[in-house]
C-alpha cells in the first residue's frame, strides 16, 4: 500500500497513510491530524451550536503572524464573536507560510470571562507565542479593555512528542467540564490515562469514519 495513499477525506481535511502512522507513536502529531480532530468536533459533535468554535493550526498560525487590522478577515466569516469558547491550536513556528514548529499548546478564549487561558504541557514553552496571539485577538474581541491572559495549570507531558495529544485531551476536558465550572481556572487537570489512550481513540475514529464512506 502506498505510504501517501489517502485514507480518509473528511470535509476540508485529507488524511494520508503517513499521517495515520504518526498515531502509532512515538511520534509528534502534525497539523493535519490536529486539523482533522478540530474539524470533527466542529462539524459532527458540535454542529449548529454557538458554544464552541475550533480554530485549527493553519488559521491560528495566520492569526498569530497577521497585523490586527487583518484578523477580522479570518474571524468574521466564522462569526467568532458569537461563540462562548474559542479553541486555538497553537505551535511555536515563526514561519508565516507554514504551520509545523516543534511544540503544540492550546489557547482558549472564554467570552464570559473575557480571558485567554493557555494550556501548555511543557512548562509554558509556548508562553511567548500564546501571549502574542492573545494580544492580537484581545483587540478584536474586547477593543475597549485588554483581555486577561492566564497561564493555566496543565498536565505535563512525560516525553518529547505527546504535546499534540495533550492539546486534544485538554480540548476534550474543557468541553466536558465547562458547563459545570464557573471559571476555566477551576477545571483541574486531564487524567493521564486519557492521554495514554487518546492515540488509539483517534485511530478508531478514523477507521469508523473511513468505513462509513466506503
Amino acid at each position: 500500500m502506498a505510504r501517501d495513499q489517502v485514507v480518509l477525506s473528511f470535509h476540508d481535511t485529507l488524511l494520508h497513510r503517513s499521517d495515520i502512522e504518526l498515531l502509532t507513536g512515538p511520534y509528534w502529531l502534525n497539523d493535519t491530524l490536529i486539523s482533522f480532530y478540530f474539524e470533527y468536533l466542529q462539524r459532527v459533535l458540535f454542529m449548529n451550536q454557538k458554544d464552541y468554535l475550533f480554530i485549527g493550526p493553519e488559521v491560528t498560525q495566520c492569526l498569530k503572524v497577521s497585523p490586527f487590522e487583518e484578523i477580522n478577515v479570518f474571524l468574521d466569516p466564522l462569526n467568532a464573536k458569537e461563540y462562548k469558547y474559542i479553541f486555538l491550536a497553537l505551535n511555536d513556528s515563526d514561519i508565516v507560510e507554514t504551520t509545523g514548529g516543534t511544540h503544540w499548546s492550546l489557547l482558549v478564549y472564554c467570552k464570559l470571562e473575557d480571558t485567554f487561558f493557555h494550556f501548555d504541557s511543557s512548562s509554558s514553552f509556548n508562553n511567548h507565542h500564546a501571549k502574542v496571539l492573545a494580544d492580537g485577538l484581545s483587540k478584536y474581541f474586547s477593543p475597549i479593555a485588554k483581555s486577561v491572559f492566564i497561564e493555566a495549570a496543565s498536565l505535563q507531558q512525560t516525553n518529547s512528542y505527546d504535546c499534540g495529544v495533550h492539546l486534544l485531551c485538554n480540548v476534550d476536558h474543557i468541553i466536558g467540564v465547562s458547563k459545570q465550572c464557573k471559571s476555566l481556572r477551576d477545571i483541574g487537570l486531564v487524567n493521564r490515562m486519557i492521554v495514554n489512550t487518546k492515540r488509539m481513540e483517534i485511530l478508531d475514529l478514523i477507521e469508523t469514519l473511513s468505513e462509513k464512506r466506503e
Side-chain angles (χ1 to χ4, degrees):
M1 182 178 293
R3 188 170 188 271
D4 276 338
Q5 177 183 356
V6 173
V7 175
L8 175 65
S9 176
F10 186 77
H11 297 281
D12 295 330
T13 302
L14 279 179
L15 286 173
H16 293 78
R17 178 62 55 186
S18 55
D19 299 315
I20 307 304
E21 289 174 355
L22 297 177
L23 289 167
T24 64
Y27 305 112
W28 188 81
L29 300 191
N30 63 10
D31 54 289
T32 303
L33 287 168
I34 293 175
S35 294
F36 158 72
Y37 195 73
F38 270 39
E39 194 162 15
Y40 172 74
L41 292 173
Q42 194 75 71
R43 293 181 179 270
V44 179
L45 295 190
F46 298 101
M47 183 176 59
N48 300 325
Q49 50 77 43
K50 291 299 181 183
D51 286 333
Y52 310 114
L53 176 63
F54 305 92
I55 300 180
E58 295 85 356
V59 176
T60 298
Q61 183 71 359
C62 291
L63 292 171
K64 187 176 72 174
V65 301
S66 296
F68 163 70
E69 295 78 14
E70 297 178 10
I71 286 179
N72 65 301
V73 173
F74 302 99
L75 295 183
D76 283 356
L78 301 176
N79 299 314
K81 292 180 179 179
E82 299 180 12
Y83 288 84
K84 296 178 181 178
Y85 296 94
I86 299 177
F87 297 84
L88 300 111
L90 176 68
N91 66 71
D92 62 334
S93 174
D94 289 318
I95 302 174
V96 177
E97 294 82 6
T98 62
T99 49
T102 62
H103 182 63
W104 294 108
S105 62
L106 175 68
L107 186 67
V108 183
Y109 177 67
C110 175
K111 181 178 179 180
L112 181 62
E113 300 182 73
D114 190 19
T115 298
F116 288 91
F117 295 88
H118 182 223
F119 298 84
D120 194 330
S121 60
S122 187
S123 301
S124 306
F125 186 90
N126 273 359
N127 179 271
H128 168 71
H129 296 275
K131 284 185 175 179
V132 168
L133 178 56
D135 283 347
L137 294 177
S138 176
K139 299 173 186 177
Y140 175 82
F141 289 112
S142 185
I144 297 177
K146 186 176 180 180
S147 304
V148 176
F149 177 90
I150 293 177
E151 191 69 40
S154 181
L155 182 70
Q156 297 296 285
Q157 62 193 81
T158 58
N159 53 53
S160 61
Y161 50 82
D162 265 346
C163 52
V165 176
H166 278 261
L167 185 163
L168 300 183
C169 289
N170 276 323
V171 171
D172 292 343
H173 179 63
I174 293 167
I175 293 171
V177 302
S178 61
K179 295 187 185 303
Q180 290 75 44
C181 293
K182 293 182 179 180
S183 171
L184 293 190
R185 294 176 177 87
D186 307 320
I187 65 170
L189 301 181
V190 172
N191 186 303
R192 192 170 297 280
M193 184 62 68
I194 293 176
V195 175
N196 294 340
T197 58
K198 190 63 178 175
R199 289 174 182 267
M200 185 58 65
E201 177 190 321
I202 299 173
L203 281 168
D204 290 343
L205 172 62
I206 293 170
E207 182 179 353
T208 298
L209 292 174
S210 298
E211 291 174 351
K212 288 181 179 179
R213 281 160 170 73
E214 290 180 355

